[in-house]
Amino acid sequence: MSEDRASRKRVVGELLMAAAFLALAGLVFQQTRTEFVAAGAASGGAMQNAAMYPEFLAAGLVGLALLLIVRTLWTGRVTVAPGEAPALSPTDRRRHLIKALVCLAAFVAYLLVLRVVGYHLTTPVLMAVLYLTLGVRNPLASAALGIATSLVMSAFFEFGLNVILPVGRFGIGF
Amino acid sequence: MIFETLTSGFGLFFTFDAVAMTAIGCFLGLIIGVLPGLGPLMGIILMTPVAFYLAPVAGMGLLIAIFVGGSCGGAISAILLRIPGTPLAAATLFDGYPMAQKGKSSEAIGLAIAASSLGGLIGGLFLIFLAPALAIVALQFAPPEYFALTLTGLICIAVVSQESTIKGLMVGIVGLMTATIGMDQFSSTYRFTFGFSEMLGGFNIVAMVVGLFAFSEMFMQIEAGGLDDKPQVRIVRASLHAVVETLKRWVNLVRSSVIGTFFGAIPGAGGVISAFTSYAVARGVSRHPELFGTGIEDGVIATESANNACCGGTLIPSLALAVPGDASSAVLMGALILLGFFPGPELFERHVDIVGGIFVAYMFANVFLFILGILFTPVFASVLKLKKKFLIPIIILLSTIGTFALQASQFDLWVMLGFGIVGYGLRKFDYPLAPMVIGAVLGPICESNFRRSLVISGDDYGIFVERPLAATILAINLVLLIWVCIPDPLKQRARRSLGQRFAAR
């Protein structure tokens, strides 16, 4: 019974993904029929018609997405890529997913403050959070690794390649 | 002309920067190849921002050497742990791991390195002689032919996608679509910018690729767990005697290298197919086929020489026709464009020295592969002990700074993150990622040649079928598309009979 449910979930997921591609194609058509028309770039020959090529692509995408939907509904099955999925218990899977989400949230927060606070203050914090989340249990070790990694990387890019990393409002940089 | 190309390239390659970067690239490539889950493509992506700051031949030398080293490095973990570091080494474990189990780890690794290096050099010879010849033929090409060729490149990648051909084509089209964002070069209209000034120049290809591959891979690795696992690895030295053993089997070596180069030159085929095919051929022609899979030298030589010769093969259409052989060569093409040089026949006409420099860098990358591979095998084997909980944050940081370094743009970081999430979602639903990269790289070439063809013909679509060469290429594309209609079970049966027959042990 659970295999049936899993299979149904995969089919639903497949259909949702195909719908997402259809939505993307829909967005292209929406833009070409509104913004491009307003800019006078949706008609004429190949030279003037900036909408022609994207519309061809969107039409192709619609055709393929519909083919995929029809095939999925017809067979009731989903094509799965070859390769072994790791054998994890639901608890472990949930735990690792939470770790991934925490890392993602930390990275988003990092991007939001990077420009304002600067590389040298934000990056060690990000790295420490990543190390801690991924399994370096000792917070002091995580902090030390975070500082070390961000310093080594900045030295390589700033001294080695003359890249200027964000200094932020505090103006901290090499 | 070939002699002229090479000699003009010597001057650009034999500088401290270019030689050092090629050697460093090879070393990094071997390390990246050893670590499961990374692979040469990841290494090229991570180092592209670094290459941007170097002289053209030094930058391309770094990336090509990563390509070469990464294509070999996977064999080390395949032999020692039965886990191929890259998919390219999947066939190597058939005989490499049994050799290690018999106590011949040193010999197996030595064979893998020697065969990879020599196979790569043979692939390089084909590259040096065939690429210029193909470029001369391509000079006859006009926009309709180029348009048809870009479609071939895209379709081939999708057709051989392990996941689903339809999904591969869909992702490829999305890749082509991303290339339409920004200013249209023909009408000077801004397309799909949604009022954001940051999108006027479109998405940075490196930010896209780093997000799509590196970030999505990191999410997948975290989700898969095992972050604290420490593989039990015996540190060994590669055997120099293995070189002699490889040369003794020169027929297998040359044949496998030719197979590898051939598959490398076909867009979409790639190293995995070449390795399995050459293994199948070596076993088929062997006087003792029953010994394959028990740990014999010919098994390792067949796969490793093929998958490295493939590197030279993929560069042939990439440089001569601007049609990438696989995702790695697509990123290499992207890097070459970033450095200011556009692949295709004009590259061979106007920048013979750059072409020569790339050829020489490729050949020396294979020489460095041999030297560094033999000398530093214990280092590469010990890298296998590095736990993911340390590696993943480092890769995330390297990706972030590398992407930022290109244009000092915060927007690029958001693009990278966005495509990381997109890449993760696509992989969860078994959509291949390579077609998106290829679509993004080929997109501008595809559209400009399509529209140029129509401008030439006065908007008459017949131009694509009236020109014999363009019509022939489009007919081939049609045949490939018809392949899409063949039910998947039949296609999968064909793939399984090539690969999994040997994997069942």
Side-chain angles (χ1 to χ4, degrees), chain A residues 13-14 17 36 41 45-47 50 52-53 57-58 68 71 79 81 96 107 111 115 119 123 127 134 153, chain B residues 167 173 177 184 187 189 191 222-223 225 389 393 397 400-401 408 410 429-431 447 450-451 459 461 488:
Chain A
E14 189 87 333
M17 278 299 281
F36 284 45
M47 189 64 111
M52 176 178 56
Y53 178 77
L57 295 179
L68 187 64
R71 191 180 74 174
T79 312
H96 295 313
F107 192 77
L111 288 189
R115 267 272 189 236
Y119 171 89
T123 308
M127 295 305 286
L134 297 180
M153 283 290 186
Chain B
K167 289 179 176 178
I173 288 177
M177 279 176 167
D184 171 33
S187 63
T189 315
R191 297 187 294 190
I222 296 171
E223 210 188 355
K389 66 183 180 185
L397 184 60
T400 305
I401 306 182
Q410 178 95 6
F429 290 95
D430 298 310
Y431 283 80
E447 183 180 9
F450 175 67
R451 289 170 73 178
D459 293 315
Y461 287 87
D488 272 350

Side-chain angles (χ1 to χ4, degrees), chain B residues 8 21 40 74 82 117 136 167 226 285 408 412 477:
Chain B
S8 57
M21 284 298 130
R82 205 176 187 267
S117 173
I136 290 171
K167 289 179 176 178
V285 303
D412 285 347
N477 293 344

